[in-house]
């Protein structure tokens, strides 16, 4: 059963400046200019994050990135047999703050509060849960805003990363934690791409993956996904304030938030379903505005809101680097193709899709489940929320993941 679609046909918020106006925020009430970038820098609030230096990472596309650091959070306790560790991998604009309140260093409460915690489907009374911020990200792990060896931010010099590079860094984190395996690796969307890559690269590197949960993901990025991402990348790169990625010395409000905001609007539309956008917003004007006289429809205001919100909390360079890593994702690269790679996965596997996902099509999930030898048939969530269903439909997703874990529980837990 899908969650009820909330009514957000708001009636306030007369538009005086556009969300993407470089001088200011989305609404007349916004008084703070957008930051240059929302990238975490050394010295910024840490919250409950920990950091591990994983050293130099040899990159799949060539070259080496020195001095890589990963930020991560943990919950629960590693047991004596060390067989209760769970790795949770976030999506494109997520971070290590899987669960817990908004706090210093984290503007929002955890993005999977209903999934991870004491008594939750991923029960932190039972499991030791680890969540890293992705390599290339902007919430504590090494990314384009981090200092290069010359002390200046990498900026436009930051190299292209692949999903495999991100997992290679996470393998080093695993070793640094003294673990030789995960009971479960779970991720959705970009996190699902990493989870799949983990299922192949982890065992190759001597890190066992007993169980795998891949949600709203794909074994290879599709032409459609590449197509949707292309205008997002173009929007950021063609923002004059992007300055080829070297904007970290810009004055507050003078960063590439216009391009980043447009990218988010395109992406966010693909994260939701046509049915939901029509049911929620339809042709309703935003309160007090008249689309016939330069005003907006409510759905335009909604997208402006999400654009402004992301521009305040995310770094445009990281958005580019992570998006490109998703575009080049191919589990089968140098492994004889995707099907051969899927057949090599030894983990007991749960694959979950959202039936209205128009970005990560359910058929891609079905394909994963068909070829992974120990996969159960793909579970289809019924939801009008589209791809973002994995962030909303906890009433369905929780029991699915909880049941899978209880069937695959290690003896010691
Ligand atoms: C692993 C990860 O992916 S972590 C990253 C997850 N977080 C994000 O993606 C951040 C962006 N947020 C979202 O995409 C969504 O909020 C989700 C997926 C987390 C939750 O979805 P929903 O509960 O359906 O939220 P929804 O999409 O309706 O957005 C609600 C926001 O839109 C605003 N909104 C709704 N209608 C309008 C409108 N007509 N005009 C302006 N703003 C509007 C709400 O006020 C609310 O604002 P707030 O979030 O600042 O409080
Ligand atoms: N809302 C999610 C969708 C991408 O999977 C995010 O921003 O990360």
């Amino acid at each position: 059963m899908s969650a009820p679609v909330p009514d957000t046909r708001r009636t306030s918020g007369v538009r005086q400046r556009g969300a993407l106006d470089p001088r200011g925020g989305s609404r007349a009430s916004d008084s703070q200019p957008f930051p240059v970038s929302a990238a975490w820098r050394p010295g910024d609030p840490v919250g409950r994050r920990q950091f591990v230096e994983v050293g130099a990472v040899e990159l799949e596309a060539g070259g080496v990135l020195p001095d890589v650091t990963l930020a991560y959070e943990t919950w629960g306790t590693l047991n004596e047999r060390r067989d209760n560790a769970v790795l949770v991998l976030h999506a494109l604009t997520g971070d290590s703050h899987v669960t817990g309140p908004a706090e210093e260093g984290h503007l929002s409460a955890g993005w999977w509060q209903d999934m991870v915690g004491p008594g939750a489907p991923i029960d932190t009374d039972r499991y030791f849960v680890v969540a890293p911020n992705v390599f290339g990200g902007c919430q504590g792990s090494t990314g384009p805003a981090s200092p290069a060896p010359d002390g200046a931010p990498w900026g436009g010099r930051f190299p292209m990363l692949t999903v495999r590079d991100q997992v290679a860094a996470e393998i080093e984190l695993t070793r640094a934690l003294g673990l030789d395996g995960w009971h479960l690796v779970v991720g959705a969307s970009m996190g699902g791409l990493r989870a799949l890559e983990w299922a192949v690269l982890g065992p190759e590197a001597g890190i066992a993956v007993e169980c795998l949960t891949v949600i709203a993901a794909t074994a290879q990025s599709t032409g459609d996904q590449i197509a949707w991402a292309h205008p997002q990348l173009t929007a950021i790169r063609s923002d004059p304030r992007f300055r080829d990625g070297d904007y970290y010395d810009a004055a507050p409000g003078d960063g590439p938030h216009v391009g980043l905001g447009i990218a988010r609007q395109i992406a966010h539309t693909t994260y939701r379903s046509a049915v939901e956008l029509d049911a929620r917003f339809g042709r309703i004007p935003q309160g007090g505005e008249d689309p016939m006289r330069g005003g907006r429809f409510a759905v335009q205001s909604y997208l402006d809101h999400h654009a402004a919100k992301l521009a305040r909390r995310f770094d445009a360079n990281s958005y580019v680097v992570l998006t490109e890593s998703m575009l080049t994702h191919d589990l089968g690269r140098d492994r004889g193709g995707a099907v051969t790679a899927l057949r090599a996965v030894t983990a007991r596997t749960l694959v979950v899709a959202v039936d209205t996902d128009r970005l990560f099509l359910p058929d891609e999930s079905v394909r994963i489940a068909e070829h992974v030898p120990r996969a159960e048939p793909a579970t289809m969530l019924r939801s009008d929320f589209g791809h973002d269903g994995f962030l909303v439909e906890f009433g369905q997703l929780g029991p699915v993941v909880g049941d899978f874990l209880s069937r695959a529980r290690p003896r010691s837990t």
Side-chain angles (χ1 to χ4, degrees):
M1 208 177 75
S2 67
V5 176
D7 182 7
T8 55
R9 293 175 179 179
R10 302 178 350 157
T11 53
S12 61
V14 178
R15 185 192 196 196
Q16 296 188 358
R17 288 190 305 204
L20 305 179
D21 184 325
R23 292 162 301 177
S26 61
R27 286 163 291 171
S29 59
D30 287 342
S31 55
Q32 297 298 318
F34 293 138
V36 170
S37 87
W40 185 92
R41 311 280 185 91
D44 285 352
V46 163
R48 58 191 312 288
R49 271 174 289 210
Q50 302 173 68
F51 300 86
V52 66
E53 292 174 14
V54 301
V57 176
E58 197 169 331
L59 304 176
E60 203 187 347
V64 173
L65 200 76
D67 304 326
V68 174
T69 294
L70 289 191
Y72 66 99
E73 292 178 51
T74 72
W75 300 263
T77 308
L78 186 64
N79 65 18
E80 279 185 14
R81 295 172 63 100
R82 307 174 86 76
D83 64 357
N84 69 332
V86 171
L87 182 67
V88 178
L89 301 173
H90 67 75
L92 176 63
T93 70
D95 56 32
S96 63
H97 202 48
V98 169
T99 190
E103 60 191 14
E104 196 182 30
H106 291 297
L107 294 176
S108 308
W111 52 267
W112 241 17
Q113 298 262 64
D114 296 77
M115 294 296 294
V116 178
I122 300 175
D123 186 350
T124 51
D125 288 337
R126 206 180 283 276
Y127 295 103
F128 172 60
V129 177
V130 179
N133 178 221
V134 69
F135 177 25
C138 54
Q139 286 299 324
S141 291
T142 295
S146 306
D150 64 5
W154 282 101
R157 300 174 294 170
F158 197 79
M160 200 197 87
L161 299 185
T162 66
V163 169
R164 221 168 275 182
D165 297 330
Q166 293 160 350
V167 171
E170 287 162 3
I171 285 171
E172 295 310 319
L173 164 68
T174 308
R175 292 193 174 118
L177 292 172
L179 298 171
D180 59 10
W182 296 100
H183 177 63
L184 172 71
V185 176
V186 54
S189 193
M190 189 183 83
L193 310 187
R194 307 217 302 291
L196 263 182
E197 188 61 48
W198 250 106
V200 178
L201 200 59
E204 281 175 10
I207 308 289
V209 176
E210 296 297 331
C211 300
L212 175 70
T213 295
V214 179
I215 305 166
T218 180
Q220 301 168 294
S221 61
T222 64
D224 187 53
Q225 289 163 345
I226 296 168
W228 280 113
H230 182 63
Q232 298 177 41
L233 297 173
T234 306
I236 293 173
R237 288 184 171 132
S238 58
D239 182 336
R241 290 177 174 79
F242 184 61
R243 295 198 270 141
D244 294 327
D246 295 319
Y247 52 79
Y248 294 113
D249 60 351
D254 207 21
H257 46 265
V258 172
L260 179 60
I262 295 169
R264 182 61 158 185
Q265 292 185 336
I266 298 166
H268 194 80
T269 305
T270 69
Y271 298 156
R272 314 299 284 219
S273 78
V275 166
E276 186 221 359
L277 294 180
D278 201 40
R280 278 180 76 172
F281 302 107
R283 300 181 46 74
I284 305 287
Q286 180 64 10
E289 299 187 35
D290 181 356
M292 294 292 283
R293 289 178 176 74
R296 298 168 300 175
F297 287 100
V299 69
Q300 293 175 290
S301 166
Y302 170 73
L303 290 179
D304 283 348
H305 177 77
H306 278 291
K309 211 170 162 183
L310 188 78
R312 286 194 194 94
R313 75 172 176 87
F314 212 78
D315 181 36
N317 272 324
S318 277
Y319 194 95
V320 168
V321 166
L322 300 183
T323 298
E324 289 195 324
S325 76
M326 293 173 75
L327 297 192
T328 58
H329 165 66
D330 180 1
L331 191 72
R333 185 168 52 240
D334 302 327
R335 291 177 176 141
V339 169
T340 303
L342 288 169
R343 286 190 181 134
V345 173
T346 55
R348 184 170 177 169
T349 298
L350 170 71
V351 184
V352 182
V354 183
D355 62 354
T356 53
D357 191 333
R358 55 175 159 178
L359 187 61
F360 287 80
L361 298 183
D363 278 356
E364 294 297 322
S365 295
V366 170
R367 178 165 91 126
I368 295 169
E370 274 174 2
H371 294 294
V372 170
R374 297 179 68 209
E376 303 177 358
T379 298
M380 205 62 63
L381 304 187
R382 163 78 279 282
S383 173
D384 285 342
F385 286 103
H387 182 65
D388 267 351
F390 76 89
L391 293 166
V392 181
E393 298 285 6
F394 300 121
Q396 293 182 68
L397 186 59
V400 169
V401 173
D403 289 351
F404 175 67
L405 264 178
S406 65
R407 277 181 275 121
R409 181 171 294 163
R411 267 174 303 151
S412 59
T413 63

